[in-house]
Amino acid sequence: VDLYLCLVLISVLLVSHYPGGRALRAAPGAGYARAVSGLMELAEAKDFEGVRARFRDHPPDAVLAVADWLREEDIYNVAIELYGWLLQREESGAAHFGIGQCRGKIYDYDAALKHLDRAFELDPERSDGAGYYAYILERHERMEDADRWYRRGMEGAEADDLWTRSHYAWFLEK
């Protein structure tokens, strides 16, 4: 328990010192082709009705970029709509992960598990998001799977992720 409390305190202190209280990440839309600028500008301006009205007119890559940005900004219901549209067009691990994490964040853990299972089935080498997948597996009492995915995340893309490390420490206390 002491280790868990220390990790949580460190996480809170570190995150609280970043702008907006969020973990450091690239500026909104960075790394995505700015060809999505019209749709991304609507999202960044918090014109979510505009995003909903226009996203179908954009290429899937642009919609995925905006859906990911919305998810990172905690705009889960709009992101779910975009990811759902993407999955109707073509199945992808990225869209399944995005909608799965959004579903988990709004406490729909069964739907989250369904999509996250599929995301990691489609891309079994994926480590990005493995800690969140492990958390959902843990909530469904799939403890051996959760342990494996926490470890996968910490050995890969989430090696320095405090959220994953603190949740794994808590998991080990159980």
Side-chain angles (χ1 to χ4, degrees):
V1 174
D2 291 337
L3 174 62
Y4 172 74
L5 292 175
C6 288
L7 289 172
V8 169
L9 180 59
I10 290 168
S11 298
V12 169
L13 290 173
L14 287 173
V15 171
S16 68
H17 286 85
Y18 295 132
R22 296 184 181 278
L24 284 178
R25 63 171 180 262
Y32 299 121
R34 273 313 241 196
V36 304
S37 65
L39 193 59
M40 187 64 79
E41 286 172 8
L42 291 171
E44 290 172 345
K46 300 190 183 324
D47 181 359
F48 305 128
E49 291 309 313
V51 171
R52 283 184 158 130
R54 294 180 184 88
F55 77 87
R56 290 172 187 83
D57 299 331
H58 289 76
D61 287 346
V63 175
L64 180 62
V66 172
D68 286 343
W69 185 85
L70 290 165
R71 175 176 47 88
E72 291 170 4
E73 294 298 312
D74 305 333
I75 314 298
Y76 303 123
N77 289 320
V78 180
I80 287 169
E81 187 174 339
L82 274 62
Y83 288 126
W85 179 80
L86 289 165
L87 288 171
Q88 288 175 351
R89 294 179 56 101
E90 182 179 350
E91 186 174 46
S92 77
H96 274 293
F97 178 80
I99 200 170
Q101 187 175 44
C102 288
R103 288 289 180 191
K105 296 286 187 167
I106 62 171
Y107 310 106
D108 186 356
Y109 298 120
D110 291 338
L113 181 62
K114 175 184 138 201
H115 286 287
L116 292 171
D117 275 344
R118 187 66 182 138
F120 286 89
E121 180 182 319
L122 289 170
D123 187 3
E125 298 304 312
R126 178 186 181 115
S127 66
D128 187 30
Y132 191 77
Y133 181 38
Y135 168 75
I136 295 298
L137 289 165
E138 181 183 350
R139 292 195 67 85
H140 284 84
E141 299 181 10
R142 288 174 49 185
M143 300 310 209
E144 288 180 23
D145 290 336
D147 183 59
R148 181 168 47 94
W149 285 103
Y150 274 126
R151 289 174 189 268
R152 167 78 61 88
M154 291 187 305
E155 292 168 359
E158 299 174 338
D160 298 322
D161 186 87
L162 292 175
W163 187 94
T164 300
R165 290 183 171 280
S166 65
H167 278 78
Y168 186 57
W170 178 247
F171 170 80
L172 292 174
E173 290 289 324
K174 294 181 179 180

mmCIF file of all heavy atoms in Angstrom, residues 49-69:
data_model
loop_
_atom_site.group_PDB
_atom_site.id
_atom_site.type_symbol
_atom_site.label_atom_id
_atom_site.label_comp_id
_atom_site.label_asym_id
_atom_site.label_seq_id
_atom_site.Cartn_x
_atom_site.Cartn_y
_atom_site.Cartn_z
ATOM 1 N N GLU A 49 -20.567 20.027 -32.617
ATOM 2 C CA GLU A 49 -21.674 19.820 -33.556
ATOM 3 C C GLU A 49 -21.174 19.979 -34.991
ATOM 4 O O GLU A 49 -21.607 19.256 -35.883
ATOM 5 C CB GLU A 49 -22.826 20.776 -33.254
ATOM 6 C CG GLU A 49 -23.546 20.457 -31.944
ATOM 7 C CD GLU A 49 -23.974 18.990 -31.826
ATOM 8 O OE1 GLU A 49 -24.563 18.436 -32.792
ATOM 9 O OE2 GLU A 49 -23.717 18.379 -30.773
ATOM 10 N N GLY A 50 -20.249 20.905 -35.198
ATOM 11 C CA GLY A 50 -19.633 21.064 -36.516
ATOM 12 C C GLY A 50 -18.834 19.835 -36.911
ATOM 13 O O GLY A 50 -18.874 19.389 -38.057
ATOM 14 N N VAL A 51 -18.103 19.272 -35.954
ATOM 15 C CA VAL A 51 -17.351 18.037 -36.211
ATOM 16 C C VAL A 51 -18.325 16.933 -36.608
ATOM 17 O O VAL A 51 -18.120 16.234 -37.610
ATOM 18 C CB VAL A 51 -16.519 17.613 -34.978
ATOM 19 C CG1 VAL A 51 -15.931 16.219 -35.167
ATOM 20 C CG2 VAL A 51 -15.424 18.626 -34.686
ATOM 21 N N ARG A 52 -19.389 16.792 -35.814
ATOM 22 C CA ARG A 52 -20.382 15.742 -36.109
ATOM 23 C C ARG A 52 -21.023 15.934 -37.479
ATOM 24 O O ARG A 52 -21.319 14.963 -38.173
ATOM 25 C CB ARG A 52 -21.458 15.734 -35.028
ATOM 26 C CG ARG A 52 -21.039 15.081 -33.754
ATOM 27 C CD ARG A 52 -22.208 15.048 -32.778
ATOM 28 N NE ARG A 52 -22.011 14.025 -31.788
ATOM 29 C CZ ARG A 52 -22.120 14.221 -30.487
ATOM 30 N NH1 ARG A 52 -22.425 15.417 -30.019
ATOM 31 N NH2 ARG A 52 -21.930 13.234 -29.651
ATOM 32 N N ALA A 53 -21.255 17.154 -37.860
ATOM 33 C CA ALA A 53 -21.925 17.429 -39.127
ATOM 34 C C ALA A 53 -21.014 17.218 -40.332
ATOM 35 O O ALA A 53 -21.500 16.923 -41.432
ATOM 36 C CB ALA A 53 -22.446 18.869 -39.132
ATOM 37 N N ARG A 54 -19.689 17.343 -40.156
ATOM 38 C CA ARG A 54 -18.786 17.353 -41.302
ATOM 39 C C ARG A 54 -17.799 16.196 -41.400
ATOM 40 O O ARG A 54 -17.141 16.032 -42.425
ATOM 41 C CB ARG A 54 -18.011 18.666 -41.300
ATOM 42 C CG ARG A 54 -18.901 19.873 -41.541
ATOM 43 C CD ARG A 54 -18.102 21.163 -41.529
ATOM 44 N NE ARG A 54 -18.964 22.322 -41.658
ATOM 45 C CZ ARG A 54 -19.529 22.950 -40.635
ATOM 46 N NH1 ARG A 54 -19.331 22.541 -39.404
ATOM 47 N NH2 ARG A 54 -20.303 23.999 -40.834
ATOM 48 N N PHE A 55 -17.657 15.380 -40.366
ATOM 49 C CA PHE A 55 -16.570 14.390 -40.404
ATOM 50 C C PHE A 55 -16.712 13.382 -41.526
ATOM 51 O O PHE A 55 -15.721 12.887 -42.058
ATOM 52 C CB PHE A 55 -16.390 13.697 -39.041
ATOM 53 C CG PHE A 55 -17.410 12.643 -38.701
ATOM 54 C CD1 PHE A 55 -17.233 11.330 -39.110
ATOM 55 C CD2 PHE A 55 -18.526 12.960 -37.950
ATOM 56 C CE1 PHE A 55 -18.165 10.354 -38.780
ATOM 57 C CE2 PHE A 55 -19.455 11.996 -37.609
ATOM 58 C CZ PHE A 55 -19.278 10.685 -38.035
ATOM 59 N N ARG A 56 -17.939 13.075 -41.955
ATOM 60 C CA ARG A 56 -18.134 12.080 -43.015
ATOM 61 C C ARG A 56 -17.601 12.554 -44.368
ATOM 62 O O ARG A 56 -17.425 11.758 -45.282
ATOM 63 C CB ARG A 56 -19.616 11.734 -43.131
ATOM 64 C CG ARG A 56 -20.132 10.943 -41.958
ATOM 65 C CD ARG A 56 -21.669 10.780 -42.014
ATOM 66 N NE ARG A 56 -22.176 10.169 -40.811
ATOM 67 C CZ ARG A 56 -22.432 10.815 -39.676
ATOM 68 N NH1 ARG A 56 -22.219 12.116 -39.591
ATOM 69 N NH2 ARG A 56 -22.891 10.182 -38.620
ATOM 70 N N ASP A 57 -17.337 13.855 -44.496
ATOM 71 C CA ASP A 57 -16.811 14.416 -45.741
ATOM 72 C C ASP A 57 -15.292 14.377 -45.806
ATOM 73 O O ASP A 57 -14.705 14.876 -46.756
ATOM 74 C CB ASP A 57 -17.266 15.886 -45.878
ATOM 75 C CG ASP A 57 -18.777 16.016 -45.929
ATOM 76 O OD1 ASP A 57 -19.454 15.071 -46.405
ATOM 77 O OD2 ASP A 57 -19.284 17.058 -45.480
ATOM 78 N N HIS A 58 -14.655 13.810 -44.792
ATOM 79 C CA HIS A 58 -13.198 13.786 -44.714
ATOM 80 C C HIS A 58 -12.679 12.356 -44.867
ATOM 81 O O HIS A 58 -13.386 11.395 -44.566
ATOM 82 C CB HIS A 58 -12.731 14.379 -43.381
ATOM 83 C CG HIS A 58 -12.935 15.849 -43.309
ATOM 84 N ND1 HIS A 58 -14.167 16.424 -43.105
ATOM 85 C CD2 HIS A 58 -12.062 16.874 -43.442
ATOM 86 C CE1 HIS A 58 -14.058 17.731 -43.096
ATOM 87 N NE2 HIS A 58 -12.790 18.037 -43.292
ATOM 88 N N PRO A 59 -11.425 12.219 -45.296
ATOM 89 C CA PRO A 59 -10.853 10.875 -45.426
ATOM 90 C C PRO A 59 -10.698 10.210 -44.055
ATOM 91 O O PRO A 59 -10.536 10.893 -43.037
ATOM 92 C CB PRO A 59 -9.494 11.117 -46.084
ATOM 93 C CG PRO A 59 -9.217 12.565 -45.949
ATOM 94 C CD PRO A 59 -10.507 13.275 -45.716
ATOM 95 N N PRO A 60 -10.736 8.879 -44.026
ATOM 96 C CA PRO A 60 -10.637 8.157 -42.755
ATOM 97 C C PRO A 60 -9.424 8.536 -41.903
ATOM 98 O O PRO A 60 -9.536 8.635 -40.680
ATOM 99 C CB PRO A 60 -10.594 6.685 -43.177
ATOM 100 C CG PRO A 60 -11.341 6.664 -44.473
ATOM 101 C CD PRO A 60 -10.995 7.968 -45.146
ATOM 102 N N ASP A 61 -8.273 8.774 -42.516
ATOM 103 C CA ASP A 61 -7.089 9.149 -41.729
ATOM 104 C C ASP A 61 -7.312 10.461 -40.980
ATOM 105 O O ASP A 61 -6.870 10.611 -39.843
ATOM 106 C CB ASP A 61 -5.849 9.274 -42.617
ATOM 107 C CG ASP A 61 -5.330 7.925 -43.077
ATOM 108 O OD1 ASP A 61 -5.741 6.887 -42.510
ATOM 109 O OD2 ASP A 61 -4.497 7.903 -44.006
ATOM 110 N N ALA A 62 -7.977 11.395 -41.631
ATOM 111 C CA ALA A 62 -8.265 12.677 -40.982
ATOM 112 C C ALA A 62 -9.257 12.485 -39.839
ATOM 113 O O ALA A 62 -9.106 13.080 -38.762
ATOM 114 C CB ALA A 62 -8.821 13.672 -41.998
ATOM 115 N N VAL A 63 -10.246 11.648 -40.058
ATOM 116 C CA VAL A 63 -11.241 11.381 -39.013
ATOM 117 C C VAL A 63 -10.584 10.683 -37.826
ATOM 118 O O VAL A 63 -10.861 11.021 -36.669
ATOM 119 C CB VAL A 63 -12.427 10.560 -39.575
ATOM 120 C CG1 VAL A 63 -13.409 10.176 -38.467
ATOM 121 C CG2 VAL A 63 -13.148 11.352 -40.673
ATOM 122 N N LEU A 64 -9.687 9.737 -38.096
ATOM 123 C CA LEU A 64 -8.976 9.056 -37.011
ATOM 124 C C LEU A 64 -8.136 10.042 -36.208
ATOM 125 O O LEU A 64 -8.115 9.994 -34.974
ATOM 126 C CB LEU A 64 -8.096 7.931 -37.560
ATOM 127 C CG LEU A 64 -7.304 7.151 -36.507
ATOM 128 C CD1 LEU A 64 -8.233 6.445 -35.518
ATOM 129 C CD2 LEU A 64 -6.376 6.148 -37.192
ATOM 130 N N ALA A 65 -7.453 10.958 -36.894
ATOM 131 C CA ALA A 65 -6.638 11.955 -36.194
ATOM 132 C C ALA A 65 -7.500 12.807 -35.269
ATOM 133 O O ALA A 65 -7.130 13.053 -34.113
ATOM 134 C CB ALA A 65 -5.909 12.838 -37.209
ATOM 135 N N VAL A 66 -8.652 13.225 -35.739
ATOM 136 C CA VAL A 66 -9.540 14.055 -34.921
ATOM 137 C C VAL A 66 -10.144 13.225 -33.790
ATOM 138 O O VAL A 66 -10.230 13.693 -32.652
ATOM 139 C CB VAL A 66 -10.626 14.722 -35.793
ATOM 140 C CG1 VAL A 66 -11.679 15.422 -34.939
ATOM 141 C CG2 VAL A 66 -9.970 15.719 -36.757
ATOM 142 N N ALA A 67 -10.538 11.995 -34.079
ATOM 143 C CA ALA A 67 -11.090 11.126 -33.024
ATOM 144 C C ALA A 67 -10.068 10.908 -31.917
ATOM 145 O O ALA A 67 -10.396 10.974 -30.727
ATOM 146 C CB ALA A 67 -11.540 9.792 -33.617
ATOM 147 N N ASP A 68 -8.808 10.660 -32.298
ATOM 148 C CA ASP A 68 -7.753 10.475 -31.295
ATOM 149 C C ASP A 68 -7.559 11.745 -30.463
ATOM 150 O O ASP A 68 -7.394 11.677 -29.246
ATOM 151 C CB ASP A 68 -6.426 10.083 -31.970
ATOM 152 C CG ASP A 68 -6.403 8.649 -32.468
ATOM 153 O OD1 ASP A 68 -7.256 7.840 -32.045
ATOM 154 O OD2 ASP A 68 -5.519 8.343 -33.299
ATOM 155 N N TRP A 69 -7.563 12.884 -31.110
ATOM 156 C CA TRP A 69 -7.412 14.149 -30.389
ATOM 157 C C TRP A 69 -8.574 14.353 -29.416
ATOM 158 O O TRP A 69 -8.367 14.730 -28.262
ATOM 159 C CB TRP A 69 -7.302 15.327 -31.362
ATOM 160 C CG TRP A 69 -7.022 16.611 -30.667
ATOM 161 C CD1 TRP A 69 -5.792 17.086 -30.306
ATOM 162 C CD2 TRP A 69 -7.980 17.576 -30.216
ATOM 163 N NE1 TRP A 69 -5.937 18.294 -29.663
ATOM 164 C CE2 TRP A 69 -7.259 18.621 -29.600
ATOM 165 C CE3 TRP A 69 -9.363 17.664 -30.286
ATOM 166 C CZ2 TRP A 69 -7.893 19.734 -29.045
ATOM 167 C CZ3 TRP A 69 -9.992 18.777 -29.731
ATOM 168 C CH2 TRP A 69 -9.259 19.789 -29.123
#
